[in-house]
Amino acid sequence: MYTGIVQGTGIVLDVRSGDGFKSLLVSNLGGLFNDAFVGASVAIDGVCLTVTSVFVNSVTFDVSDKTNLNTSMQYLSIGDEVNIERSHITGSENGGHSLYGHIEGVAEIVELKSRGETVDMILKLPPLAIKYFFSKGFIGMHGASLTVHDVDRQKNHLSVSLIPETIRLTNFRLLRKGSFVNIEVDHATRVMVDAISATLRPLH
């Protein structure tokens, strides 16, 4: 499990295709992988991946074809910067929200606007995902837990803001209009919305 507090970034050093999967080689910038081990779970741009090998200055992850197709992993290439969060340690502080690294899909950035050192962003979500988001709730975006400001269900849009510290620690400074980001739904909200929908459906 993760907290949505991105700890830093790494650089994709290599991408290799396998039979039903591809492998990513990610650099160990900032020492985030100093104690990594084979089998460890790490969120890469919000996607829960398993460490498959560890080197002095890098680690590798395998990405299944299904995960690749449903996330922004499909767009990664050598030289790209990715957000990293190691799995949460039980008993340590959780300064964000509970995330699982189970990606709902990708959202497109349709608007970016600077407001001082803060950046306001509008995302266009997949149509089936918008029902799980509410104002003052949260969204997992590329592994970062962000508060949702406004939700426009007609356009499938929602808005978030990026504070300077979040921009500094993540690859968000590289995002542009038209960029795609991974999104994760709050599990508790999903259960509640689906349960209510299932209960009300027979009444119609």
Side-chain angles (χ1 to χ4, degrees):
M1 195 166 75
Y2 307 96
T3 67
I5 306 297
V6 174
Q7 296 164 312
T9 61
I11 302 297
V12 177
L13 301 176
D14 195 15
V15 180
R16 297 189 180 185
S17 297
D19 186 7
F21 71 99
K22 72 179 182 183
S23 292
L24 302 177
L25 180 66
V26 180
S27 67
N28 186 22
L29 286 178
L32 290 175
F33 297 129
N34 284 352
D35 60 347
F37 54 91
V38 173
S41 294
V42 180
I44 300 294
D45 276 349
V47 182
C48 180
L49 298 177
T50 300
V51 174
T52 54
S53 58
V54 179
F55 304 102
V56 175
N57 296 311
S58 60
V59 297
T60 61
F61 304 90
D62 289 345
V63 182
S64 72
D65 283 351
K66 184 174 180 61
T67 297
N68 188 61
L69 182 63
N70 291 332
T71 69
S72 68
M73 297 286 111
Q74 62 187 293
Y75 305 118
L76 285 181
S77 58
I78 295 173
D80 285 346
E81 190 172 343
V82 292
N83 292 335
I84 297 170
E85 184 187 355
R86 299 289 302 275
S87 56
H88 181 61
I89 299 174
T90 302
S92 61
E93 179 182 357
N94 181 349
H97 301 95
S98 295
L99 296 176
Y100 295 88
H102 301 161
I103 301 303
E104 186 72 17
V106 294
E108 181 183 1
I109 298 173
V110 295
E111 185 177 319
L112 286 169
K113 183 182 295 184
S114 295
R115 184 164 47 84
E117 294 184 80
T118 299
V119 175
D120 296 329
M121 181 182 296
I122 296 178
L123 305 175
K124 183 176 183 179
L125 273 61
L128 295 179
I130 194 70
K131 65 182 178 181
Y132 297 116
F133 295 99
F134 301 87
S135 177
K136 309 308 179 187
F138 76 91
I139 183 172
M141 189 184 88
H142 254 21
S145 172
L146 302 173
T147 299
V148 174
H149 294 316
D150 300 306
V151 179
D152 185 335
R153 301 191 189 283
Q154 297 298 316
K155 295 182 178 179
N156 297 320
H157 286 182
L158 63 74
S159 62
V160 297
S161 293
L162 307 177
I163 62 172
E165 181 67 3
T166 299
I167 296 171
R168 183 183 71 83
L169 285 173
T170 66
N171 58 13
F172 292 164
R173 69 188 183 283
L174 304 174
L175 297 177
R176 300 291 183 266
K177 181 178 179 180
S179 295
F180 291 98
V181 290
N182 295 318
I183 59 167
E184 181 174 347
V185 172
D186 172 37
H187 180 69
T189 301
R190 177 196 293 280
V191 171
M192 180 181 66
V193 170
D194 287 349
I196 292 174
S197 297
T199 301
L200 295 178
R201 193 173 298 122
L203 301 179
H204 293 284

